[in-house]
Amino acid sequence: MTPFDRPPVGMNLARTSKVVAQAFDAAMAEAGGTLPVWLTLLSVKSKELANQRELAGMIGIQGATLTHHLNAMEAQGLLTRRRDPENRRVHQVALTEAGEALFEKLRLAAVAFDKRLRAGIPDDKLAEFTQVLAALRRNAEPPQS
């Protein structure tokens, strides 16, 4: 048996990740949002008045990309930004009433999608899978010198 008698773990994971991400994107779109909007709303909601630098880190994107998303979301009336009175270079971000409503709609879509993903998989298998994913993430990180 050679290592390529079956797809390598990384290839299988990449394919699965792509399919799951596309399905999640579709679920968010059907609920009136996008993955970046969901991640932004979730991050702001989980940490009241997060500043933009912290928010970019929580979402895992660059500051310029976040600024683009925040500009669009502010124009749509989903959030507000204001300067931190203690540090004028920092913007604090908060959800508006419309942002709260969209958050709830997307939250319900995310919960339904998660339920769909978990269907037919016993809890013990999901717990083991979570551990395997964590190990794969650790193994994929560059070695620390």
Side-chain angles (χ1 to χ4, degrees):
M1 179 183 269
T2 69
F4 297 106
D5 286 342
R6 57 189 154 160
V9 171
M11 185 184 304
N12 196 359
L13 182 61
R15 287 179 181 166
T16 302
S17 174
K18 184 175 181 179
V19 169
V20 171
Q22 288 172 339
F24 188 70
D25 286 343
M28 290 293 101
E30 189 175 313
T34 64
L35 179 59
V37 167
W38 167 240
L39 291 175
T40 303
L41 293 173
L42 180 62
S43 295
V44 173
K45 181 79 171 167
S46 68
K47 185 172 183 177
E48 209 157 310
L49 290 177
N51 71 52
Q52 286 187 216
R53 183 176 306 141
E54 291 172 342
L55 193 53
M58 291 169 74
I59 296 171
I61 59 176
Q62 298 296 318
T65 303
L66 176 64
T67 298
H68 170 77
H69 292 304
L70 292 177
N71 287 342
M73 292 174 71
E74 191 171 32
Q76 294 167 4
L78 299 174
L79 54 82
T80 61
R81 289 183 286 184
R82 66 178 179 83
R83 297 225 181 253
D84 184 332
E86 295 179 20
N87 183 349
R88 302 288 299 156
R89 293 177 293 162
V90 174
H91 283 92
Q92 294 180 325
V93 183
L95 299 184
T96 63
E97 195 172 307
E100 293 279 355
L102 183 58
F103 168 82
E104 185 58 24
K105 193 172 180 185
L106 295 180
R107 185 190 69 78
L108 292 173
V111 167
F113 183 79
D114 189 63
K115 185 177 180 181
R116 177 178 143 201
L117 277 183
R118 294 167 176 261
I121 305 172
D123 287 344
D124 62 328
K125 293 284 189 190
L126 286 170
E128 185 178 347
F129 178 64
T130 299
Q131 292 172 348
V132 170
L133 284 176
L136 289 171
R137 271 192 308 276
R138 282 191 307 273
N139 292 345
E141 290 176 357
Q144 302 218 351
S145 32

